[in-house]
Amino acid sequence: MATEDKNRATAAAILPLVGGAANVSSIAHCMTRLRLGLHDRSLVDDEALKAVPAVMGVVEDDTYQIVLGPGTVARVTPEFEQLVEKGRAAAPEPGEAAPSVSAEELAAQGAAMKAARKAKNATPFKLFLRRVANIFVPLIPALIGCGIIAGLNGLLVNLGWLTSVTPALAAMASGFMALIAVFVGYNTAKEFGGTPILGGAVAAIIVFPGVANIEAFGQKLSPGQGGVLGALGAAVLAVYVEKWCRRWVPEALDVLVTPTLTVLVSGLVTIFGLMYVAGEISTAIGTFADWLLSNGGAGAGFVLGGLFLPLVMLGLHQALIPIHTTLIEQQGYTVLLPILAMAGAGQVGAAAAVYFRLPRNESIRRTIKSALPAGLLGVGEPLIYGVSLPLGRPFITACVGGAFGGGFIGLFNQLGDKVGSTAIGPSGWALFPLLDGNHGLGTTAAIYAGGLLVGYFAGFLATYFFGFSKDLLTEFNVSQEPAESTVAATGGPTTPDAPAKEPAGV
């Protein structure tokens, strides 16, 4: 089957299982997940969705998220959007209008249920982090592409090859990073309800070379000072100024006065305040990251690697995105990402141990075999939600594996061998093309590979010996006939006549 037909078939298989086009209120995607807003959650068939070949798992948060994996999700989403548009365009027959009242009532119940869940989980802090993620996540493809080109260019320069081409590669790799503040400003204004181009215009002030002739707080400004943090603050300010203008400026003058005042007021505050303050914050972030790994070393890496999976589960990992981006702006790479990527290595090791500890559970073993390649490439959701988290203890032992892998890389950072990534997004084996450091690519790659191996083995050993109680083994190490039983959404076995089991206790 052609790739385009395969993606269309995947989208066509998903749509009826989420309640059809009428049940879809919004469509978006990130690096690995198709994120759907749904009117009525009760219309979704979770088990049937998980059985679709391209679906690696499902996650419910503020949106219903279907894990498809990197690359696949970017191709399936446009096909899904087309199917939804066609479904909405198909007008109902006149005779079908009778049950409209009951359908509206059902949709209202679903909306109420969704609102209750969102009210429970949507704390102001988490909502703010989601907004920050919405600003930076769209930039990740460019960060990855430019980061790989930067790594290739560095390799060619070190080898002395293609000297006439390397300057062009350097321009390709650096062009986006030189203007990243503009893109951050654009996305920020869009996310906070302002005019995106005005946010980009105000943020562009930060990277304009002419700011070098301006003095603020007794110091000359430098182009790029404040970086993405300054751009974020400048664009948020621009949104508030613009909204104030829309409220008070007469409509006849709005098209002239509002954009002018927005850029003027926000620009002056940015030049004579935000650039300096954000610059100091950015410098402090870089200094603290270097100090933490230079002095904390293995201990800092152990804590960071061990806590990253719980941070992901709580959604708090989104707070790290601007920190990563700031470090990449300042140093050319983020030293935090390779350490945090060890959480995925611990997850892979834990899943391998579960595979060997449950030789009779064909269902869980099938899940592991299908999800393990994605886990090795840094896509951990299928293993997390399909294996370790439902079992309880293996999730904790996976964190232990990540802690040891992070400690390994942290130790080398303390010894002077920095391991960094020139972009954010990938992890696992997929991070190798983005690696950079202060002692050459060979040394950096060897340390990172060593961290992965430590994470694999530590996660495997911790799970194999400590990941299962006797009761847990008795419950899950049982043979299951596919025709008579299935694996519940939590990963536990169920039978057609028995209720689904709750996730195993820790």
Side-chain angles (χ1 to χ4, degrees), residues 349-384:
V354 171
Y355 185 89
F356 286 105
R357 289 289 271 163
L358 301 179
R360 298 177 182 175
N361 193 316
E362 300 91 349
S363 180
I364 289 182
R365 285 164 67 91
R366 276 197 305 271
T367 299
I368 292 172
K369 282 194 291 186
S370 64
L372 203 57
L376 290 169
L377 292 174
V379 183
E381 288 97 334
L383 291 176
I384 294 174

Side-chain angles (χ1 to χ4, degrees), residues 368-417:
I368 292 172
K369 282 194 291 186
S370 64
L372 203 57
L376 290 169
L377 292 174
V379 183
E381 288 97 334
L383 291 176
I384 294 174
Y385 295 107
V387 181
S388 64
L389 187 61
L391 291 174
R393 280 194 186 184
F395 180 78
I396 297 175
T397 52
C399 294
V400 172
F404 276 96
F408 180 88
I409 294 183
L411 175 61
F412 278 91
N413 270 276
Q414 188 174 16
L415 296 175
D417 293 305

